[in-house]
Amino acid sequence: MEAAGAAAAGVGELDAFDAIVMAEERFHGEGYQEGYAEGTHTGVIEGRQYGIQQGVSVGLEIGSYLGFAMTWQKLLHKCPDEKHSKKLKILESLIKMIQEFPHEDPIYDKLQEDLEKIRGRFKQSQPKPSKKKRGKTGRQEEEKRKKDAEEEKKNRKQDRRMKEGKGQVVGEEEASKGKKRLGE
């Protein structure tokens, strides 16, 4: 009897150990399921918010294109001439593309493609820059900005030296000229 009791006690200890191991696995599985459900729920909410944000952005963009096109169409109709007829055709095409754009179909396959076409047509409707060159060219302006930035940097460096008490500061060019005169 004692042997049966000891064996039963040994089996009881194994069952308790198994229960602990199994509890860990069970809690892990339950935690995973809860985390997955919470992550899915959060993902749906964030996805919906992002979709709304992107939809508003596209809607604003297309709305501004439509407003631009309709305004210019009305203005150009008031003064019809040969030069404005091409612009009018572009504007009418832009308006048609916008009106045919699937505003309420969220799973439209060619949404990005059609949006790019609308953007391209809008760019065509923009006035082209004048061919006359006025003032400085872009390269000249860039060179002037660089030169001004270098001059400003040099002035700040000289101001800093003056504040540090190093006395009068001479620029590098002036210093090298002075050395040449002195024969150094």
Side-chain angles (χ1 to χ4, degrees):
M1 282 262 287
E2 279 184 29
V11 169
E13 288 177 15
L14 286 176
D15 288 341
F17 182 73
D18 285 343
I20 292 172
V21 170
M22 294 305 287
E24 181 181 351
E25 288 180 17
R26 185 173 43 108
F27 289 143
H28 176 76
E30 289 173 5
Y32 175 82
Q33 292 299 324
E34 288 175 15
Y36 185 82
E38 181 67 26
T40 301
H41 179 70
T42 302
V44 168
I45 291 171
E46 289 177 4
R48 183 176 293 130
Q49 289 172 342
Y50 182 73
I52 290 170
Q53 182 183 26
Q54 293 301 309
V56 167
S57 176
V58 169
L60 284 172
E61 181 181 1
I62 290 194
S64 66
Y65 295 159
L66 183 61
F68 169 87
M70 292 180 88
T71 301
W72 274 104
Q73 183 185 38
K74 288 183 187 206
L75 291 171
L76 292 176
H77 272 304
K78 290 181 181 178
C79 56
D81 64 5
E82 190 69 31
K83 153 175 135 174
H84 296 303
S85 67
K86 185 175 180 185
K87 285 283 184 195
L88 274 170
K89 286 180 184 177
I90 291 172
L91 291 170
E92 288 168 359
S93 171
L94 176 60
I95 292 169
K96 183 180 177 192
M97 290 171 75
I98 291 171
Q99 289 172 342
E100 292 174 355
F101 189 77
H103 297 82
E104 297 182 18
D105 185 4
I107 55 172
Y108 180 62
D109 294 338
K110 296 181 180 181
L111 185 109
Q112 290 297 323
E113 185 180 313
D114 287 354
L115 187 57
E116 288 301 317
K117 287 179 183 177
I118 290 172
R119 288 175 179 150
R121 188 58 46 108
F122 174 72
K123 287 179 183 177
Q124 285 180 343
S125 69
Q126 297 293 301
K128 294 195 173 42
S130 174
K131 292 183 181 179
K132 287 185 177 180
K133 291 186 179 180
R134 294 186 180 127
K136 297 180 178 181
T137 64
R139 181 178 287 161
Q140 289 172 331
E141 289 177 9
E142 181 65 27
E143 288 173 2
K144 184 176 181 343
R145 278 193 290 264
K146 284 181 182 178
K147 184 178 177 183
D148 290 345
E150 289 173 9
E151 188 68 31
E152 180 64 29
K153 185 177 177 181
K154 187 168 106 176
N155 289 340
R156 279 184 277 160
K157 195 174 186 180
Q158 287 177 352
D159 289 345
R160 189 173 54 244
R161 286 183 183 165
M162 290 296 284
K163 287 179 183 176
E164 291 174 356
K166 292 188 177 180
Q168 186 177 3
V169 177
V170 178
E172 291 180 30
E173 292 177 18
E174 290 82 13
S176 65
K177 289 178 186 175
K179 289 180 182 178
K180 287 180 182 176
R181 279 186 251 148
L182 295 174
E184 294 180 7

